[in-house]
Amino acid sequence: MDAAQTEFENPFGMDADCENCPALCAERSTVVHGYGDVGGEFLVVGGSPSAGADATGIPFGDDAGGRRIRSMFGELGFVRSPPETVAMDVQNVFFTSVTRCRHPDRAATDAEVANCEPYLDAEIRMINPQIIVPVGQRALEALAFEYTTRSPDSFDVVEEHATTIRGRGFELVPMRDPEAMDEAEERAFLEHVRKNVLARDYRQTKGRRSR
């Protein structure tokens, strides 16, 4: 963790009372900004906050999907606390999402995604990751639009799961929504990251942008 970092939760001090989306403000419990190591080379990006994230203020919060994400990244060596620990002890990874507020009955609209885009863009710029893991279709499409040369509608997270996609300045390693993933898909993701990312010097392979 960078020497100047004092906390994992919302370390960049982003607006905890954001009111850019009135329909979401009326339904949310918490604005869920990023969590993790601001010097991390891995960035994990979900779609909208889950119910557990909305309750805790931490991406991939206290629910089945969040525990699965924490368990998987624990196996990869990035999460040093047990999967049931919501306020994770992490290294070399930052967790965030495309949108920062949850509506319990629907997905975020395109306008709401656009309103949150500056938050995600700022995190990507400040963290300057090597590997981005889009979790779910919405996150993959949002990142594909901004950071690859392919059309967003050419991506299918089921087909792209546990593969590597060359992006502008980093690589994307898509993951299915953790609650939809079966055990074979979980193993495939872990194996792909171990063999095709961690087992090589990905910094040299794709080039490192200066901080």
Side-chain angles (χ1 to χ4, degrees), residues 29-52:
S29 297
T30 312
V31 180
V32 184
H33 289 301
Y35 182 101
D37 180 355
V38 300
E41 293 177 317
F42 286 73
L43 177 66
V44 182
V45 182
S48 296
S50 64

Side-chain angles (χ1 to χ4, degrees), residues 14 56 58 98-99 109 134 142-143 155 169 179 181 191-192 195 202 204 211:
M14 293 180 172
T56 62
I58 296 175
V98 173
T99 58
T109 66
L143 291 162
F155 287 95
E179 295 192 30
M181 201 186 320
E191 182 177 1
H192 178 76
K195 291 186 176 180
Y202 51 86
Q204 294 298 323
R211 284 188 179 276

Side-chain angles (χ1 to χ4, degrees), residues 3 6 24 29-30 35 45 59 66 71 90 95 105 117 134 158 166 168 176 204:
T6 59
L24 294 182
S29 297
T30 312
Y35 182 101
V45 182
S71 175
V90 303
F95 296 92
D105 301 320
E117 186 175 354
V158 176
R166 182 63 59 91
R168 296 191 181 104
R176 288 196 71 182
Q204 294 298 323

Side-chain angles (χ1 to χ4, degrees), residues 3-211:
Q5 184 172 2
T6 59
E7 58 186 12
F8 283 130
E9 186 174 353
N10 191 14
F12 298 115
M14 293 180 172
D15 185 2
D17 300 309
C18 179
E19 297 183 351
N20 289 339
C21 303
L24 294 182
C25 294
E27 300 291 342
R28 75 184 184 210
S29 297
T30 312
V31 180
V32 184
H33 289 301
Y35 182 101
D37 180 355
V38 300
E41 293 177 317
F42 286 73
L43 177 66
V44 182
V45 182
S48 296
S50 64
D54 182 56
T56 62
I58 296 175
F60 305 103
D62 192 20
D63 48 43
R67 287 189 290 274
R68 190 170 202 175
I69 290 285
R70 295 195 293 276
S71 175
M72 291 173 68
F73 280 88
E75 285 194 43
L76 293 170
F78 299 120
V79 177
R80 298 173 289 193
S81 50
E84 61 270 18
T85 304
V86 178
M88 299 169 275
D89 180 13
V90 303
Q91 62 180 355
N92 203 28
V93 65
F94 194 89
F95 296 92
T96 192
S97 55
V98 173
T99 58
R100 306 306 162 105
C101 298
R102 179 178 186 269
H103 194 290
D105 301 320
R106 62 168 176 81
T109 66
D110 290 342
E112 289 163 350
V113 169
N115 284 342
C116 278
E117 186 175 354
Y119 290 130
L120 179 60
D121 286 349
E123 286 172 338
I124 292 174
R125 184 177 67 254
M126 290 186 285
I127 294 165
N128 189 23
Q130 296 294 310
I131 306 294
I132 297 185
V133 178
V135 180
Q137 185 68 25
R138 193 61 179 270
L140 177 58
E141 290 177 357
L143 291 162
F145 177 76
E146 189 72 22
Y147 296 109
T148 78
T149 57
R150 287 171 53 182
S151 168
D153 59 13
S154 73
F155 287 95
D156 182 332
V157 75
V158 176
E159 295 180 0
E160 308 279 359
H161 174 82
T163 65
T164 296
I165 301 165
R166 182 63 59 91
R168 296 191 181 104
F170 44 72
E171 293 173 341
L172 304 176
V173 182
M175 177 196 292
R176 288 196 71 182
D177 186 293
E179 295 192 30
M181 201 186 320
D182 61 31
E183 291 185 6
E185 289 169 326
E186 178 177 333
R187 290 194 301 272
F189 181 86
L190 294 172
E191 182 177 1
H192 178 76
V193 172
R194 289 188 182 112
K195 291 186 176 180
N196 299 291
V197 181
L198 298 179
R200 64 178 171 82
D201 189 346
Y202 51 86
R203 302 174 189 85
Q204 294 298 323
T205 300
K206 60 174 291 301
R208 178 66 165 158
R209 292 177 296 163
S210 61
R211 284 188 179 276

